[in-house]
Amino acid sequence: MFTLLDITKEDLIAIKVDGRIEKNDYDRITPLIEKTVKDFGKIKLYIQIESIDGIEPSAFREDVKTYIKHFRDIKKIAVVGETTWQRMWSGLASPFVSGTIKYFPHAEIIEARKWILK
């Protein structure tokens, strides 16, 4: 499930991921991405992963579609996580994004927020 975080503003979209990821999560976040790209051109994403209990195949497709559609629209992505799998996932996304992706462990959450806000 995606939850919009309070640091979301202007060209920054910040979400917390906790639990099962479903297509309806993308149904809620995609319009915000579209509007932010329209308003600001290039955007920044902050993704704070608490836990992932699974991902629906349709949600995975939406994830890939979003990255491909906005390949040139993403300046940078900060991914905050804790597991090797989460670090690996952030690396796997790099071919789908023209911007920089940087992974931070939970212990460096303040650094992650400072980096994405620059």
Side-chain angles (χ1 to χ4, degrees):
M1 175 157 108
F2 294 166
T3 305
L4 204 58
L5 296 173
D6 62 355
I7 64 169
T8 297
K9 65 178 181 176
E10 298 171 352
D11 66 341
L12 172 63
I13 298 171
I15 61 170
K16 178 172 73 171
V17 179
D18 196 10
R20 183 165 174 77
I21 301 172
E22 300 176 346
K23 185 180 177 300
N24 68 354
D25 290 312
Y26 287 92
D27 293 343
R28 289 191 329 264
I29 202 78
T30 300
L32 177 59
I33 291 171
E34 299 290 334
K35 180 182 180 338
T36 306
V37 166
K38 182 179 176 209
D39 292 349
F40 294 95
K42 293 207 172 249
I43 64 171
K44 298 181 282 188
L45 298 174
Y46 173 88
I47 303 167
Q48 183 175 314
I49 303 169
E50 298 299 324
S51 71
I52 297 177
D53 298 333
I55 181 166
E56 289 181 345
S58 58
F60 182 76
R61 281 191 302 277
E62 288 300 312
D63 189 55
V64 172
K65 275 179 26 182
T66 300
Y67 281 127
I68 290 171
K69 180 176 182 181
H70 295 291
F71 177 81
R72 299 206 183 281
D73 300 327
I74 299 173
K75 276 191 263 191
K76 60 184 178 176
I77 301 173
V79 178
V80 177
E82 206 52 52
T83 68
T84 303
W85 181 86
Q86 292 165 357
R87 177 185 287 271
M88 214 170 63
W89 172 85
S90 64
L92 292 174
S94 62
F96 301 104
V97 179
S98 66
T100 305
I101 300 175
K102 191 167 179 183
Y103 178 86
F104 298 85
H106 273 274
E108 297 176 13
I109 199 166
I110 292 170
E111 290 84 358
R113 289 182 178 209
K114 285 180 184 176
W115 181 80
I116 201 68
L117 289 169
K118 286 184 188 176

PDB file of all heavy atoms in Angstrom, residues 38-71:
ATOM      1  N   LYS A  38       3.421  17.637 -15.500  1.00  0.00           N
ATOM      2  CA  LYS A  38       2.832  18.720 -16.291  1.00  0.00           C
ATOM      3  C   LYS A  38       3.195  20.085 -15.695  1.00  0.00           C
ATOM      4  O   LYS A  38       3.541  21.016 -16.420  1.00  0.00           O
ATOM      5  CB  LYS A  38       1.311  18.564 -16.346  1.00  0.00           C
ATOM      6  CG  LYS A  38       0.626  19.602 -17.184  1.00  0.00           C
ATOM      7  CD  LYS A  38      -0.870  19.384 -17.208  1.00  0.00           C
ATOM      8  CE  LYS A  38      -1.518  20.512 -17.972  1.00  0.00           C
ATOM      9  NZ  LYS A  38      -2.847  20.801 -17.537  1.00  0.00           N
ATOM     10  N   ASP A  39       3.154  20.192 -14.364  1.00  0.00           N
ATOM     11  CA  ASP A  39       3.413  21.468 -13.694  1.00  0.00           C
ATOM     12  C   ASP A  39       4.898  21.831 -13.622  1.00  0.00           C
ATOM     13  O   ASP A  39       5.249  23.008 -13.655  1.00  0.00           O
ATOM     14  CB  ASP A  39       2.837  21.456 -12.279  1.00  0.00           C
ATOM     15  CG  ASP A  39       1.310  21.432 -12.263  1.00  0.00           C
ATOM     16  OD1 ASP A  39       0.688  21.636 -13.332  1.00  0.00           O
ATOM     17  OD2 ASP A  39       0.735  21.184 -11.183  1.00  0.00           O
ATOM     18  N   PHE A  40       5.776  20.827 -13.468  1.00  0.00           N
ATOM     19  CA  PHE A  40       7.186  21.108 -13.192  1.00  0.00           C
ATOM     20  C   PHE A  40       8.162  20.540 -14.227  1.00  0.00           C
ATOM     21  O   PHE A  40       9.361  20.808 -14.149  1.00  0.00           O
ATOM     22  CB  PHE A  40       7.574  20.587 -11.806  1.00  0.00           C
ATOM     23  CG  PHE A  40       6.864  21.314 -10.705  1.00  0.00           C
ATOM     24  CD1 PHE A  40       5.693  20.812 -10.170  1.00  0.00           C
ATOM     25  CD2 PHE A  40       7.360  22.509 -10.219  1.00  0.00           C
ATOM     26  CE1 PHE A  40       5.024  21.487  -9.171  1.00  0.00           C
ATOM     27  CE2 PHE A  40       6.696  23.194  -9.220  1.00  0.00           C
ATOM     28  CZ  PHE A  40       5.517  22.685  -8.687  1.00  0.00           C
ATOM     29  N   GLY A  41       7.686  19.740 -15.153  1.00  0.00           N
ATOM     30  CA  GLY A  41       8.587  19.133 -16.127  1.00  0.00           C
ATOM     31  C   GLY A  41       9.289  17.925 -15.531  1.00  0.00           C
ATOM     32  O   GLY A  41       8.791  16.822 -15.610  1.00  0.00           O
ATOM     33  N   LYS A  42      10.394  18.136 -14.875  1.00  0.00           N
ATOM     34  CA  LYS A  42      11.121  17.041 -14.225  1.00  0.00           C
ATOM     35  C   LYS A  42      10.705  16.949 -12.767  1.00  0.00           C
ATOM     36  O   LYS A  42      10.493  17.959 -12.098  1.00  0.00           O
ATOM     37  CB  LYS A  42      12.620  17.261 -14.341  1.00  0.00           C
ATOM     38  CG  LYS A  42      13.097  17.153 -15.777  1.00  0.00           C
ATOM     39  CD  LYS A  42      14.537  16.719 -15.820  1.00  0.00           C
ATOM     40  CE  LYS A  42      14.940  16.435 -17.236  1.00  0.00           C
ATOM     41  NZ  LYS A  42      15.173  15.048 -17.475  1.00  0.00           N
ATOM     42  N   ILE A  43      10.620  15.699 -12.273  1.00  0.00           N
ATOM     43  CA  ILE A  43      10.179  15.477 -10.898  1.00  0.00           C
ATOM     44  C   ILE A  43      11.211  14.654 -10.129  1.00  0.00           C
ATOM     45  O   ILE A  43      12.118  14.068 -10.703  1.00  0.00           O
ATOM     46  CB  ILE A  43       8.804  14.769 -10.853  1.00  0.00           C
ATOM     47  CG1 ILE A  43       8.894  13.357 -11.459  1.00  0.00           C
ATOM     48  CG2 ILE A  43       7.748  15.612 -11.543  1.00  0.00           C
ATOM     49  CD1 ILE A  43       7.643  12.514 -11.262  1.00  0.00           C
ATOM     50  N   LYS A  44      11.023  14.641  -8.805  1.00  0.00           N
ATOM     51  CA  LYS A  44      11.838  13.827  -7.912  1.00  0.00           C
ATOM     52  C   LYS A  44      10.894  12.885  -7.156  1.00  0.00           C
ATOM     53  O   LYS A  44       9.765  13.273  -6.824  1.00  0.00           O
ATOM     54  CB  LYS A  44      12.599  14.701  -6.922  1.00  0.00           C
ATOM     55  CG  LYS A  44      13.575  15.663  -7.589  1.00  0.00           C
ATOM     56  CD  LYS A  44      14.331  16.501  -6.591  1.00  0.00           C
ATOM     57  CE  LYS A  44      13.457  17.623  -6.087  1.00  0.00           C
ATOM     58  NZ  LYS A  44      14.165  18.604  -5.260  1.00  0.00           N
ATOM     59  N   LEU A  45      11.383  11.671  -6.909  1.00  0.00           N
ATOM     60  CA  LEU A  45      10.602  10.692  -6.154  1.00  0.00           C
ATOM     61  C   LEU A  45      11.374  10.278  -4.909  1.00  0.00           C
ATOM     62  O   LEU A  45      12.586  10.034  -4.967  1.00  0.00           O
ATOM     63  CB  LEU A  45      10.319   9.450  -6.985  1.00  0.00           C
ATOM     64  CG  LEU A  45       9.496   9.619  -8.259  1.00  0.00           C
ATOM     65  CD1 LEU A  45       9.434   8.304  -9.025  1.00  0.00           C
ATOM     66  CD2 LEU A  45       8.100  10.111  -7.927  1.00  0.00           C
ATOM     67  N   TYR A  46      10.662  10.196  -3.800  1.00  0.00           N
ATOM     68  CA  TYR A  46      11.209   9.689  -2.550  1.00  0.00           C
ATOM     69  C   TYR A  46      10.352   8.479  -2.191  1.00  0.00           C
ATOM     70  O   TYR A  46       9.139   8.605  -2.038  1.00  0.00           O
ATOM     71  CB  TYR A  46      11.127  10.760  -1.459  1.00  0.00           C
ATOM     72  CG  TYR A  46      11.510  10.282  -0.087  1.00  0.00           C
ATOM     73  CD1 TYR A  46      12.842  10.328   0.331  1.00  0.00           C
ATOM     74  CD2 TYR A  46      10.560   9.790   0.798  1.00  0.00           C
ATOM     75  CE1 TYR A  46      13.200   9.893   1.592  1.00  0.00           C
ATOM     76  CE2 TYR A  46      10.912   9.351   2.055  1.00  0.00           C
ATOM     77  CZ  TYR A  46      12.234   9.409   2.444  1.00  0.00           C
ATOM     78  OH  TYR A  46      12.586   8.975   3.706  1.00  0.00           O
ATOM     79  N   ILE A  47      10.989   7.310  -2.093  1.00  0.00           N
ATOM     80  CA  ILE A  47      10.254   6.074  -1.819  1.00  0.00           C
ATOM     81  C   ILE A  47      10.816   5.463  -0.545  1.00  0.00           C
ATOM     82  O   ILE A  47      11.966   5.034  -0.502  1.00  0.00           O
ATOM     83  CB  ILE A  47      10.379   5.086  -2.990  1.00  0.00           C
ATOM     84  CG1 ILE A  47       9.878   5.748  -4.279  1.00  0.00           C
ATOM     85  CG2 ILE A  47       9.619   3.793  -2.687  1.00  0.00           C
ATOM     86  CD1 ILE A  47      10.238   5.007  -5.543  1.00  0.00           C
ATOM     87  N   GLN A  48       9.996   5.453   0.489  1.00  0.00           N
ATOM     88  CA  GLN A  48      10.400   4.912   1.791  1.00  0.00           C
ATOM     89  C   GLN A  48       9.720   3.555   1.975  1.00  0.00           C
ATOM     90  O   GLN A  48       8.509   3.490   2.144  1.00  0.00           O
ATOM     91  CB  GLN A  48       9.998   5.885   2.895  1.00  0.00           C
ATOM     92  CG  GLN A  48      10.413   5.468   4.270  1.00  0.00           C
ATOM     93  CD  GLN A  48      10.072   6.546   5.283  1.00  0.00           C
ATOM     94  OE1 GLN A  48      10.323   7.728   5.065  1.00  0.00           O
ATOM     95  NE2 GLN A  48       9.486   6.136   6.384  1.00  0.00           N
ATOM     96  N   ILE A  49      10.509   2.497   1.925  1.00  0.00           N
ATOM     97  CA  ILE A  49       9.956   1.148   2.015  1.00  0.00           C
ATOM     98  C   ILE A  49      10.009   0.668   3.455  1.00  0.00           C
ATOM     99  O   ILE A  49      11.084   0.545   4.047  1.00  0.00           O
ATOM    100  CB  ILE A  49      10.733   0.170   1.108  1.00  0.00           C
ATOM    101  CG1 ILE A  49      10.735   0.658  -0.342  1.00  0.00           C
ATOM    102  CG2 ILE A  49      10.140  -1.232   1.212  1.00  0.00           C
ATOM    103  CD1 ILE A  49      11.687  -0.095  -1.246  1.00  0.00           C
ATOM    104  N   GLU A  50       8.834   0.413   4.002  1.00  0.00           N
ATOM    105  CA  GLU A  50       8.749  -0.184   5.338  1.00  0.00           C
ATOM    106  C   GLU A  50       8.733  -1.701   5.202  1.00  0.00           C
ATOM    107  O   GLU A  50       9.512  -2.395   5.831  1.00  0.00           O
ATOM    108  CB  GLU A  50       7.501   0.318   6.074  1.00  0.00           C
ATOM    109  CG  GLU A  50       7.485   1.820   6.306  1.00  0.00           C
ATOM    110  CD  GLU A  50       8.641   2.322   7.144  1.00  0.00           C
ATOM    111  OE1 GLU A  50       9.068   1.612   8.085  1.00  0.00           O
ATOM    112  OE2 GLU A  50       9.139   3.421   6.857  1.00  0.00           O
ATOM    113  N   SER A  51       7.818  -2.191   4.391  1.00  0.00           N
ATOM    114  CA  SER A  51       7.748  -3.625   4.103  1.00  0.00           C
ATOM    115  C   SER A  51       7.008  -3.810   2.784  1.00  0.00           C
ATOM    116  O   SER A  51       6.225  -2.953   2.384  1.00  0.00           O
ATOM    117  CB  SER A  51       7.008  -4.387   5.212  1.00  0.00           C
ATOM    118  OG  SER A  51       5.623  -4.084   5.185  1.00  0.00           O
ATOM    119  N   ILE A  52       7.301  -4.916   2.124  1.00  0.00           N
ATOM    120  CA  ILE A  52       6.556  -5.286   0.919  1.00  0.00           C
ATOM    121  C   ILE A  52       6.125  -6.730   1.111  1.00  0.00           C
ATOM    122  O   ILE A  52       6.958  -7.626   1.203  1.00  0.00           O
ATOM    123  CB  ILE A  52       7.405  -5.130  -0.358  1.00  0.00           C
ATOM    124  CG1 ILE A  52       7.791  -3.666  -0.558  1.00  0.00           C
ATOM    125  CG2 ILE A  52       6.629  -5.655  -1.573  1.00  0.00           C
ATOM    126  CD1 ILE A  52       8.684  -3.402  -1.752  1.00  0.00           C
ATOM    127  N   ASP A  53       4.812  -6.916   1.213  1.00  0.00           N
ATOM    128  CA  ASP A  53       4.258  -8.251   1.444  1.00  0.00           C
ATOM    129  C   ASP A  53       3.840  -8.929   0.148  1.00  0.00           C
ATOM    130  O   ASP A  53       3.153  -9.940   0.180  1.00  0.00           O
ATOM    131  CB  ASP A  53       3.061  -8.171   2.396  1.00  0.00           C
ATOM    132  CG  ASP A  53       3.451  -7.647   3.766  1.00  0.00           C
ATOM    133  OD1 ASP A  53       4.617  -7.819   4.161  1.00  0.00           O
ATOM    134  OD2 ASP A  53       2.584  -7.050   4.433  1.00  0.00           O
ATOM    135  N   GLY A  54       4.224  -8.367  -0.962  1.00  0.00           N
ATOM    136  CA  GLY A  54       3.880  -8.920  -2.264  1.00  0.00           C
ATOM    137  C   GLY A  54       3.449  -7.804  -3.196  1.00  0.00           C
ATOM    138  O   GLY A  54       3.161  -6.695  -2.767  1.00  0.00           O
ATOM    139  N   ILE A  55       3.439  -8.134  -4.482  1.00  0.00           N
ATOM    140  CA  ILE A  55       3.014  -7.164  -5.486  1.00  0.00           C
ATOM    141  C   ILE A  55       2.156  -7.888  -6.524  1.00  0.00           C
ATOM    142  O   ILE A  55       2.552  -8.941  -7.031  1.00  0.00           O
ATOM    143  CB  ILE A  55       4.220  -6.449  -6.134  1.00  0.00           C
ATOM    144  CG1 ILE A  55       3.752  -5.412  -7.156  1.00  0.00           C
ATOM    145  CG2 ILE A  55       5.210  -7.420  -6.737  1.00  0.00           C
ATOM    146  CD1 ILE A  55       4.839  -4.445  -7.597  1.00  0.00           C
ATOM    147  N   GLU A  56       0.988  -7.349  -6.778  1.00  0.00           N
ATOM    148  CA  GLU A  56       0.121  -7.917  -7.802  1.00  0.00           C
ATOM    149  C   GLU A  56       0.810  -7.787  -9.156  1.00  0.00           C
ATOM    150  O   GLU A  56       1.462  -6.769  -9.429  1.00  0.00           O
ATOM    151  CB  GLU A  56      -1.203  -7.152  -7.884  1.00  0.00           C
ATOM    152  CG  GLU A  56      -2.137  -7.348  -6.743  1.00  0.00           C
ATOM    153  CD  GLU A  56      -3.437  -6.562  -6.927  1.00  0.00           C
ATOM    154  OE1 GLU A  56      -3.499  -5.654  -7.788  1.00  0.00           O
ATOM    155  OE2 GLU A  56      -4.382  -6.868  -6.203  1.00  0.00           O
ATOM    156  N   PRO A  57       0.668  -8.773 -10.035  1.00  0.00           N
ATOM    157  CA  PRO A  57       1.251  -8.651 -11.378  1.00  0.00           C
ATOM    158  C   PRO A  57       0.798  -7.381 -12.100  1.00  0.00           C
ATOM    159  O   PRO A  57       1.599  -6.729 -12.764  1.00  0.00           O
ATOM    160  CB  PRO A  57       0.767  -9.920 -12.093  1.00  0.00           C
ATOM    161  CG  PRO A  57       0.563 -10.908 -10.990  1.00  0.00           C
ATOM    162  CD  PRO A  57       0.052 -10.094  -9.823  1.00  0.00           C
ATOM    163  N   SER A  58      -0.467  -7.013 -11.931  1.00  0.00           N
ATOM    164  CA  SER A  58      -0.955  -5.798 -12.600  1.00  0.00           C
ATOM    165  C   SER A  58      -0.296  -4.549 -12.014  1.00  0.00           C
ATOM    166  O   SER A  58      -0.059  -3.574 -12.728  1.00  0.00           O
ATOM    167  CB  SER A  58      -2.479  -5.694 -12.504  1.00  0.00           C
ATOM    168  OG  SER A  58      -2.891  -5.688 -11.155  1.00  0.00           O
ATOM    169  N   ALA A  59       0.045  -4.571 -10.738  1.00  0.00           N
ATOM    170  CA  ALA A  59       0.743  -3.444 -10.118  1.00  0.00           C
ATOM    171  C   ALA A  59       2.178  -3.361 -10.642  1.00  0.00           C
ATOM    172  O   ALA A  59       2.687  -2.278 -10.914  1.00  0.00           O
ATOM    173  CB  ALA A  59       0.741  -3.588  -8.602  1.00  0.00           C
ATOM    174  N   PHE A  60       2.813  -4.506 -10.815  1.00  0.00           N
ATOM    175  CA  PHE A  60       4.163  -4.529 -11.363  1.00  0.00           C
ATOM    176  C   PHE A  60       4.179  -3.948 -12.775  1.00  0.00           C
ATOM    177  O   PHE A  60       5.050  -3.156 -13.128  1.00  0.00           O
ATOM    178  CB  PHE A  60       4.729  -5.953 -11.349  1.00  0.00           C
ATOM    179  CG  PHE A  60       6.126  -6.032 -11.863  1.00  0.00           C
ATOM    180  CD1 PHE A  60       7.194  -5.605 -11.088  1.00  0.00           C
ATOM    181  CD2 PHE A  60       6.383  -6.509 -13.140  1.00  0.00           C
ATOM    182  CE1 PHE A  60       8.495  -5.654 -11.570  1.00  0.00           C
ATOM    183  CE2 PHE A  60       7.673  -6.567 -13.637  1.00  0.00           C
ATOM    184  CZ  PHE A  60       8.737  -6.137 -12.844  1.00  0.00           C
ATOM    185  N   ARG A  61       3.180  -4.321 -13.583  1.00  0.00           N
ATOM    186  CA  ARG A  61       3.075  -3.770 -14.938  1.00  0.00           C
ATOM    187  C   ARG A  61       2.917  -2.249 -14.906  1.00  0.00           C
ATOM    188  O   ARG A  61       3.526  -1.531 -15.697  1.00  0.00           O
ATOM    189  CB  ARG A  61       1.909  -4.408 -15.698  1.00  0.00           C
ATOM    190  CG  ARG A  61       2.218  -5.777 -16.251  1.00  0.00           C
ATOM    191  CD  ARG A  61       1.149  -6.268 -17.203  1.00  0.00           C
ATOM    192  NE  ARG A  61      -0.185  -6.356 -16.646  1.00  0.00           N
ATOM    193  CZ  ARG A  61      -0.655  -7.373 -15.928  1.00  0.00           C
ATOM    194  NH1 ARG A  61       0.120  -8.414 -15.674  1.00  0.00           N
ATOM    195  NH2 ARG A  61      -1.884  -7.367 -15.468  1.00  0.00           N
ATOM    196  N   GLU A  62       2.088  -1.763 -13.991  1.00  0.00           N
ATOM    197  CA  GLU A  62       1.882  -0.317 -13.866  1.00  0.00           C
ATOM    198  C   GLU A  62       3.176   0.382 -13.460  1.00  0.00           C
ATOM    199  O   GLU A  62       3.476   1.477 -13.940  1.00  0.00           O
ATOM    200  CB  GLU A  62       0.778  -0.001 -12.851  1.00  0.00           C
ATOM    201  CG  GLU A  62      -0.605  -0.334 -13.336  1.00  0.00           C
ATOM    202  CD  GLU A  62      -0.989   0.421 -14.594  1.00  0.00           C
ATOM    203  OE1 GLU A  62      -0.795   1.650 -14.668  1.00  0.00           O
ATOM    204  OE2 GLU A  62      -1.479  -0.234 -15.540  1.00  0.00           O
ATOM    205  N   ASP A  63       3.949  -0.238 -12.582  1.00  0.00           N
ATOM    206  CA  ASP A  63       5.225   0.319 -12.144  1.00  0.00           C
ATOM    207  C   ASP A  63       6.160   0.496 -13.340  1.00  0.00           C
ATOM    208  O   ASP A  63       6.704   1.575 -13.573  1.00  0.00           O
ATOM    209  CB  ASP A  63       5.849  -0.594 -11.086  1.00  0.00           C
ATOM    210  CG  ASP A  63       7.067   0.019 -10.433  1.00  0.00           C
ATOM    211  OD1 ASP A  63       6.961   1.139  -9.899  1.00  0.00           O
ATOM    212  OD2 ASP A  63       8.134  -0.627 -10.451  1.00  0.00           O
ATOM    213  N   VAL A  64       6.306  -0.550 -14.122  1.00  0.00           N
ATOM    214  CA  VAL A  64       7.185  -0.510 -15.298  1.00  0.00           C
ATOM    215  C   VAL A  64       6.663   0.509 -16.309  1.00  0.00           C
ATOM    216  O   VAL A  64       7.429   1.314 -16.859  1.00  0.00           O
ATOM    217  CB  VAL A  64       7.346  -1.911 -15.925  1.00  0.00           C
ATOM    218  CG1 VAL A  64       8.086  -1.840 -17.248  1.00  0.00           C
ATOM    219  CG2 VAL A  64       8.059  -2.850 -14.956  1.00  0.00           C
ATOM    220  N   LYS A  65       5.348   0.504 -16.564  1.00  0.00           N
ATOM    221  CA  LYS A  65       4.752   1.461 -17.511  1.00  0.00           C
ATOM    222  C   LYS A  65       5.027   2.902 -17.087  1.00  0.00           C
ATOM    223  O   LYS A  65       5.352   3.749 -17.923  1.00  0.00           O
ATOM    224  CB  LYS A  65       3.239   1.248 -17.607  1.00  0.00           C
ATOM    225  CG  LYS A  65       2.830   0.192 -18.584  1.00  0.00           C
ATOM    226  CD  LYS A  65       1.345  -0.055 -18.691  1.00  0.00           C
ATOM    227  CE  LYS A  65       0.418   1.042 -18.349  1.00  0.00           C
ATOM    228  NZ  LYS A  65      -0.998   0.679 -18.444  1.00  0.00           N
ATOM    229  N   THR A  66       4.908   3.169 -15.800  1.00  0.00           N
ATOM    230  CA  THR A  66       5.125   4.526 -15.289  1.00  0.00           C
ATOM    231  C   THR A  66       6.564   4.962 -15.510  1.00  0.00           C
ATOM    232  O   THR A  66       6.824   6.068 -15.985  1.00  0.00           O
ATOM    233  CB  THR A  66       4.754   4.602 -13.793  1.00  0.00           C
ATOM    234  OG1 THR A  66       3.372   4.262 -13.642  1.00  0.00           O
ATOM    235  CG2 THR A  66       4.982   5.998 -13.233  1.00  0.00           C
ATOM    236  N   TYR A  67       7.509   4.082 -15.170  1.00  0.00           N
ATOM    237  CA  TYR A  67       8.917   4.425 -15.371  1.00  0.00           C
ATOM    238  C   TYR A  67       9.242   4.632 -16.851  1.00  0.00           C
ATOM    239  O   TYR A  67       9.960   5.565 -17.209  1.00  0.00           O
ATOM    240  CB  TYR A  67       9.840   3.350 -14.787  1.00  0.00           C
ATOM    241  CG  TYR A  67       9.996   3.439 -13.293  1.00  0.00           C
ATOM    242  CD1 TYR A  67       9.764   2.340 -12.482  1.00  0.00           C
ATOM    243  CD2 TYR A  67      10.392   4.633 -12.685  1.00  0.00           C
ATOM    244  CE1 TYR A  67       9.918   2.418 -11.109  1.00  0.00           C
ATOM    245  CE2 TYR A  67      10.543   4.723 -11.314  1.00  0.00           C
ATOM    246  CZ  TYR A  67      10.305   3.612 -10.528  1.00  0.00           C
ATOM    247  OH  TYR A  67      10.458   3.694  -9.168  1.00  0.00           O
ATOM    248  N   ILE A  68       8.720   3.781 -17.710  1.00  0.00           N
ATOM    249  CA  ILE A  68       8.995   3.914 -19.143  1.00  0.00           C
ATOM    250  C   ILE A  68       8.382   5.203 -19.693  1.00  0.00           C
ATOM    251  O   ILE A  68       9.037   5.956 -20.415  1.00  0.00           O
ATOM    252  CB  ILE A  68       8.499   2.671 -19.915  1.00  0.00           C
ATOM    253  CG1 ILE A  68       9.384   1.467 -19.567  1.00  0.00           C
ATOM    254  CG2 ILE A  68       8.493   2.935 -21.424  1.00  0.00           C
ATOM    255  CD1 ILE A  68       8.871   0.143 -20.104  1.00  0.00           C
ATOM    256  N   LYS A  69       7.148   5.471 -19.333  1.00  0.00           N
ATOM    257  CA  LYS A  69       6.471   6.666 -19.825  1.00  0.00           C
ATOM    258  C   LYS A  69       7.196   7.939 -19.379  1.00  0.00           C
ATOM    259  O   LYS A  69       7.269   8.908 -20.122  1.00  0.00           O
ATOM    260  CB  LYS A  69       5.021   6.706 -19.331  1.00  0.00           C
ATOM    261  CG  LYS A  69       4.267   7.919 -19.811  1.00  0.00           C
ATOM    262  CD  LYS A  69       2.824   7.895 -19.401  1.00  0.00           C
ATOM    263  CE  LYS A  69       2.108   9.119 -19.952  1.00  0.00           C
ATOM    264  NZ  LYS A  69       0.715   9.145 -19.549  1.00  0.00           N
ATOM    265  N   HIS A  70       7.722   7.917 -18.167  1.00  0.00           N
ATOM    266  CA  HIS A  70       8.347   9.118 -17.602  1.00  0.00           C
ATOM    267  C   HIS A  70       9.869   9.003 -17.528  1.00  0.00           C
ATOM    268  O   HIS A  70      10.497   9.632 -16.683  1.00  0.00           O
ATOM    269  CB  HIS A  70       7.743   9.409 -16.230  1.00  0.00           C
ATOM    270  CG  HIS A  70       6.293   9.758 -16.330  1.00  0.00           C
ATOM    271  ND1 HIS A  70       5.851  10.936 -16.892  1.00  0.00           N
ATOM    272  CD2 HIS A  70       5.192   9.068 -15.977  1.00  0.00           C
ATOM    273  CE1 HIS A  70       4.532  10.956 -16.868  1.00  0.00           C
ATOM    274  NE2 HIS A  70       4.107   9.831 -16.328  1.00  0.00           N
ATOM    275  N   PHE A  71      10.441   8.221 -18.445  1.00  0.00           N
ATOM    276  CA  PHE A  71      11.883   7.979 -18.465  1.00  0.00           C
ATOM    277  C   PHE A  71      12.682   9.274 -18.331  1.00  0.00           C
ATOM    278  O   PHE A  71      13.606   9.375 -17.544  1.00  0.00           O
ATOM    279  CB  PHE A  71      12.267   7.244 -19.764  1.00  0.00           C
ATOM    280  CG  PHE A  71      13.741   7.007 -19.904  1.00  0.00           C
ATOM    281  CD1 PHE A  71      14.341   5.941 -19.260  1.00  0.00           C
ATOM    282  CD2 PHE A  71      14.530   7.856 -20.675  1.00  0.00           C
ATOM    283  CE1 PHE A  71      15.701   5.713 -19.386  1.00  0.00           C
ATOM    284  CE2 PHE A  71      15.883   7.633 -20.806  1.00  0.00           C
ATOM    285  CZ  PHE A  71      16.477   6.561 -20.154  1.00  0.00           C
TER     286      PHE A  71
END
